[in-house]
Structures are given as C-alpha cells and as structure tokens.
Amino acid sequence: MRGRRTAAAIAGLAVLAAACSAPGTSPTATAQFTTFEQVLDQAKGQTVNLYAYGGDQGANRYIDEVLAVKARGLGITVHRVPVDATTTAMQKLLGDKQAGKTSGGGVDLVWVNGENFRTGKQAALWDCGWTDLLPNGRYVNWADPEIANDFGTPVNKCEAPWSRAQFAFVYDSARVSQPPRTVPALLDWIRAHPGRFTYPAPPDFTGSVFTRQVFYATSGGYTTIPTGYDHDAYQRLSPALWSALRGIAPSLWRSGTTYPTSSAQLNTLYGNGEVDFTMTYGPAEIDALVANGTYPATTKAYTLDDGSIGNTAYLAIPANAANKAAAIAVANLELSPEQQLAKAQPTPWGVYPAIDLTRTDASWQQKFADLPRSAHVPPFAELSRHSLPELQANWTTPLDDGWRQEVLPR
C-alpha cells in the first residue's frame, strides 16, 4: 500500500505542478546578495529547516551530530525535518504556491531527488542563481554531466551537490561464491536459485533503479533509449523489460507473489538470511551495517561489468524560503573538503564525495586517500568504473506504472 500511495502522490504532484506552473524561470530572490560575506552576515541567528529523508539513520546522525554542530559555528541552527519521501516537502511547496505564499515559507533547504527537482523546476518552486555565490563551488566540476544534470534535468544553478551515489548489488559471499557480473547472468542466477532473490516494488527508489538497470540491458544498452521520455520508444522497448521481469517472478522470494515494499524491508530479508542479495545506492554504508550486526561479516558489494547506474544527490532552496541566507551558507559548508570528508567516513554515514578531489590541495587528497579501506566495498573509483547515467526523470513514472500493470501480481 505504501508504494501505491507514493505513486499516487507523485502523480498528484505532477498535476499540481502543471496547475501551478508559470512562464519564465524561478524567482531569484538571492539577487539581494552580491557577496558571500553578505550571506553570512544575514545568516547569523537564522534557523534552516532542512527537509530530508528520515529513513537513513547514518544521514540523520551526520546532519544532527556533524553538520548542525559545524553550522552553529556560523551562528546558524540546522533543524532537520524528517520525511518519509521528498514528496512531503514538495506537497507543502506546491500548496504554498497555489495559495500565493511567495515568502516566509517553512521549508528552507531540501535534500531532493531528480523527479521532484524536475517537478519543482516546472512549477518555478526553486530559487536559482545562488550557487554562483558559493566559495566552495570551486571544488565542484559543474561541467561533469552527472553534476550538471539531475536525472537528465539541467541543474542550471538551482541546486548544489550533496553526495554521490552508485547503484550496487550486495551479496553474502558465504552463500554466493561467484556473483553474476551482467544483467543477463543475474537473471539466469535468479532462475537457477529460486527463492533467494527479490527486489523492492517500484516506486520504491531502489526498486525503480533496479527496474531501470534491467531496462538498459533488455533494450540493448543505455544509448538505445532516448534520454528524455518518448512514448513510442517506451512502447517499442518496454515489452522486453516486462517479459524479463515476469520471467524471473516465479523464481523470486515467495515465488514472486509479493515483493518488499521498501529497500529497508529488502535489507531485513538479506540480514536475516532469507535472500542472498540486496541492493543499494549507498554502498559506503555497508561497513557500518556489518559492524552493527545488521549484515553478515561475509557481505560484499559490487557493480556489474555491463554498467551500473550512478547519480548525484542535491540540496535545493525553495523560492519562498524564509531563511535563504542560512540555507546558502549551509549548502556552501556542505561543499567544503572538511564536510565531504566527514560524510565519507564510515561513521556516522559513509557516502561518496560530490566534489572533484583533484580540485582540492594535496593534503586533502591525502586525507581522502587515507580513509579506512573496506573489507566489504571496493573503492569508489572501482565501483564507478562502468557508471551509467540516469534517464531523465520523466521516464520514472511510466516505468513504475508499467511495472504495476505488467509485473505486479493481481
């Protein structure tokens, strides 16, 4: 039911965004600032309401115990507002837009994903242009396609990188000696090991990316799919995807009669030994999960030789945010080598840096090189060696809807 409600929420957001959209670009109230010093002066004493997914305990600890502490040194309070999904923040912003509330909004900063960023951009919900003010923006390679585009939607100075992600499979090496290295090999493995694999039901974020991963393979590769959604291409290419997923369904956990409703549920199945694989967009978190006993000590992560999807997470500032100066200051803080290194530490979080390390000085590069080596996760350079870009966000809903129509048991 949770997945169905989320899908309905996303569809509702799209309709509301269309109703709220206006010609032109998002308002740029940050034009009041000409220097970052002005930003810091106004930010003192402000509280940033940071809307962030609350289901990631490592992220929660990082925000509360590291980021918030550092921000206090700038005279800024970071108030983390946990949400089940970014759509919660989006519904609030779209409601403000519809009510004509153009300032004093209660959302100051959003940890946003591609589909919701695109929805907000269409409805002119984001403040833009502020990334030019960030001194730490010098550490970002803005020309990198995986930075310049959020699920295929141009960033256009409307958000700043938060962290990088790489989709990876996770397996128990005590039970799987040779994990499959391509999507076709994975599908063969599933059929040969009935009951030992499953994936979350889309629109769960991880279930959706697994579906897209298979879509790339059954379509003949990423380059065969138009980056922006094309209905004719969908009609032509998706039948092979649905056929492949229906083909493995009888060999999944519980014979495919039910699917985990979330990545958290899949992780629990894996941790309990009910399945041999799980999957994640944040493999750097695995060390902590092994250390606390959630995952077995024989856990390993890897990416596929025929490519694995990677992307970047971002922070966006609503156009009607009440505390924009503090939000800009926190976004700048997040791009510092110090904070990116803190996030990359296995504790409290362990995620990959969004900055270009070659743009930092030698001492910082050495500190990143000295991060603890993992017995469970290869270095990011290895994980991302065959990284594949995301499709534009407007592919997500048709594929999620198609999965429910073509694969979900009735």
Side-chain angles (χ1 to χ4, degrees), residues 2 52-65 80-85 111 162-165 205-206 263-264 267 280-286 288-289 292 313 343 345-352:
R2 179 177 178 271
Y53 171 61
D56 188 326
Q57 296 308 311
N60 294 343
R61 288 194 298 272
Y62 167 76
I63 295 170
D64 294 342
E65 300 170 13
R80 177 175 59 83
V81 182
V83 294
D84 290 336
W111 175 8
W162 165 253
S163 62
R164 281 213 159 169
F205 190 73
T206 304
S263 56
N267 293 343
T280 179
Y281 236 139
E285 302 167 349
I286 291 171
L289 293 169
N292 66 21
K343 278 200 294 194
Q345 297 286 352
T347 303
W349 195 0
V351 291
Y352 299 118

Side-chain angles (χ1 to χ4, degrees), residues 50-53 56 59 86 109-115 117 130 140 142 145-151 155 158-166 205 281-282 285 310-316 331 334-335 340 343 349 351-355 380 390:
L50 170 55
Y51 277 62
Y53 171 61
D56 188 326
T86 312
L109 200 58
V110 184
W111 175 8
V112 71
N113 61 30
E115 187 169 7
F117 173 67
W130 56 271
V140 178
W142 298 101
E146 288 193 21
I147 296 289
N149 300 284
D150 189 351
F151 273 66
V155 168
C158 299
E159 55 182 357
W162 165 253
S163 62
R164 281 213 159 169
Q166 186 66 50
F205 190 73
Y281 236 139
E285 302 167 349
N311 73 21
T312 303
Y314 299 85
L315 294 174
E334 268 301 295
L335 291 177
Q340 292 285 310
K343 278 200 294 194
W349 195 0
V351 291
Y352 299 118
I355 61 174
F380 183 65
E390 285 279 12

Side-chain angles (χ1 to χ4, degrees), residues 103-333:
S103 63
V107 183
D108 299 306
L109 200 58
V110 184
W111 175 8
V112 71
N113 61 30
E115 187 169 7
N116 288 306
F117 173 67
R118 177 175 174 271
T119 298
K121 199 174 181 187
Q122 289 176 332
L125 296 180
W126 307 125
D127 196 2
C128 299
W130 56 271
T131 58
D132 284 341
L133 293 165
L134 307 180
N136 289 331
R138 67 185 183 274
Y139 299 119
V140 178
N141 180 4
W142 298 101
D144 182 342
E146 288 193 21
I147 296 289
N149 300 284
D150 189 351
F151 273 66
T153 301
V155 168
N156 287 351
K157 304 179 183 180
C158 299
E159 55 182 357
W162 165 253
S163 62
R164 281 213 159 169
Q166 186 66 50
F167 183 63
F169 289 97
V170 181
Y171 70 102
D172 186 350
S173 62
R175 295 197 295 261
V176 181
S177 58
Q178 296 292 329
R181 294 285 173 175
T182 65
V183 169
L186 175 63
L187 301 181
D188 288 342
W189 187 96
I190 292 167
R191 286 187 286 265
H193 300 83
R196 303 306 301 171
F197 187 96
T198 191
Y199 60 94
D204 171 84
F205 190 73
T206 304
S208 290
V209 72
F210 173 76
T211 299
R212 293 194 298 277
Q213 189 77 57
V214 178
F215 185 42
Y216 284 13
T218 58
S219 299
Y222 166 80
T223 58
T224 65
I225 308 170
T227 302
Y229 179 71
D230 180 280
H231 182 69
D232 290 342
Y234 174 88
Q235 293 290 94
R236 184 177 71 256
L237 298 172
S238 65
L241 168 64
W242 309 135
S243 177
L245 294 180
R246 286 194 299 265
I248 62 170
S251 301
L252 296 176
W253 172 73
R254 293 191 177 176
S255 302
T257 57
T258 187
Y259 290 78
T261 59
S262 67
S263 56
Q265 186 181 352
L266 174 60
N267 293 343
T268 298
L269 293 176
Y270 171 75
N272 291 342
E274 294 187 57
V275 295
D276 296 333
F277 284 81
T278 185
M279 55 196 76
T280 179
Y281 236 139
E285 302 167 349
I286 291 171
D287 284 328
L289 293 169
V290 172
N292 66 21
T294 302
Y295 286 176
T298 45
T299 292
K300 302 283 186 183
Y302 76 106
T303 51
L304 299 176
D305 292 343
D306 51 359
S308 292
I309 296 172
N311 73 21
T312 303
Y314 299 85
L315 294 174
I317 300 174
N320 74 340
N323 300 295
K324 289 185 181 178
I328 294 169
V330 169
N332 181 70
L333 183 62

